[in-house]
Amino acid sequence: MAEVHSISSFMVSNCKLSQYGVDIFHDPTLYRSVVGVLQYVTLTRPELSFAVNKVCQFMAAPLDSHWALVKRILRYLMDTLFHGLLLQPTSVTKPLALRTFCDADWTSDVDDRCSTSGAAIFLGPNLISWWSRKQ
């Protein structure tokens, strides 16, 4: 992976992964190991949470298409190596604003037709809480 080109997005918008397929990944232990590391990375890189959660759903029987997404996430990390959560001081002259953003992806999972939703909560300019879950 050291010689590959980096990319600016970690997941294509119309990516539909399924647990069914014939292209079984040759080394499930490698898949689980790399995805486990990616789970750790999401502590400081919450933008990866959805994509990492998606590849975690296929740890029991990964396919080559799942491994392709894992490699795409790794290539994105190469391009954004010095990105992460940035905590900024707030202005003492302005009141603190509590802002919440949420989104839902209705029934897009091709296997179980469940939706995925998530939210991010900011206090001033800083992210203080976030979540993403399958309904």
Side-chain angles (χ1 to χ4, degrees), residues 40-91:
Y40 179 75
V41 169
T42 61
L43 293 174
T44 58
R45 302 290 299 272
E47 81 274 16
L48 297 174
S49 296
F50 176 79
V52 172
N53 180 341
K54 199 68 174 161
V55 295
C56 284
Q57 295 175 18
F58 307 106
M59 284 222 204
L63 303 175
D64 285 336
S65 57
H66 306 144
W67 180 244
L69 181 56
V70 169
K71 289 194 304 186
R72 185 176 178 93
I73 295 168
L74 292 173
R75 289 175 59 201
Y76 169 78
L77 283 173
M78 285 179 54
D79 191 41
T80 60
L81 192 58
F82 298 105
H83 293 191
L85 289 179
L86 174 65
L87 298 177
Q88 303 171 356
T90 59
S91 172

Side-chain angles (χ1 to χ4, degrees), residues 7-119:
I7 55 174
S8 60
S9 67
F10 55 88
M11 193 171 182
V12 291
S13 62
N14 60 355
C15 181
K16 303 282 188 196
L17 296 177
S18 176
Q19 65 184 352
Y20 304 107
V22 294
D23 56 337
I24 305 295
F25 184 60
H26 70 280
D27 190 358
T29 304
L30 173 65
Y31 182 89
R32 293 180 192 114
S33 175
V34 173
V35 171
V37 170
L38 288 175
Q39 284 181 310
Y40 179 75
V41 169
T42 61
L43 293 174
T44 58
R45 302 290 299 272
E47 81 274 16
L48 297 174
S49 296
F50 176 79
V52 172
N53 180 341
K54 199 68 174 161
V55 295
C56 284
Q57 295 175 18
F58 307 106
M59 284 222 204
L63 303 175
D64 285 336
S65 57
H66 306 144
W67 180 244
L69 181 56
V70 169
K71 289 194 304 186
R72 185 176 178 93
I73 295 168
L74 292 173
R75 289 175 59 201
Y76 169 78
L77 283 173
M78 285 179 54
D79 191 41
T80 60
L81 192 58
F82 298 105
H83 293 191
L85 289 179
L86 174 65
L87 298 177
Q88 303 171 356
T90 59
S91 172
V92 292
T93 60
K94 293 183 180 178
L96 282 177
L98 184 64
R99 296 175 295 143
T100 302
F101 301 95
C102 61
D103 194 12
D105 186 10
W106 302 105
T107 63
S108 68
D109 191 310
V110 296
D111 293 328
D112 60 10
R113 306 307 293 171
C114 289
S115 61
T116 302
S117 59

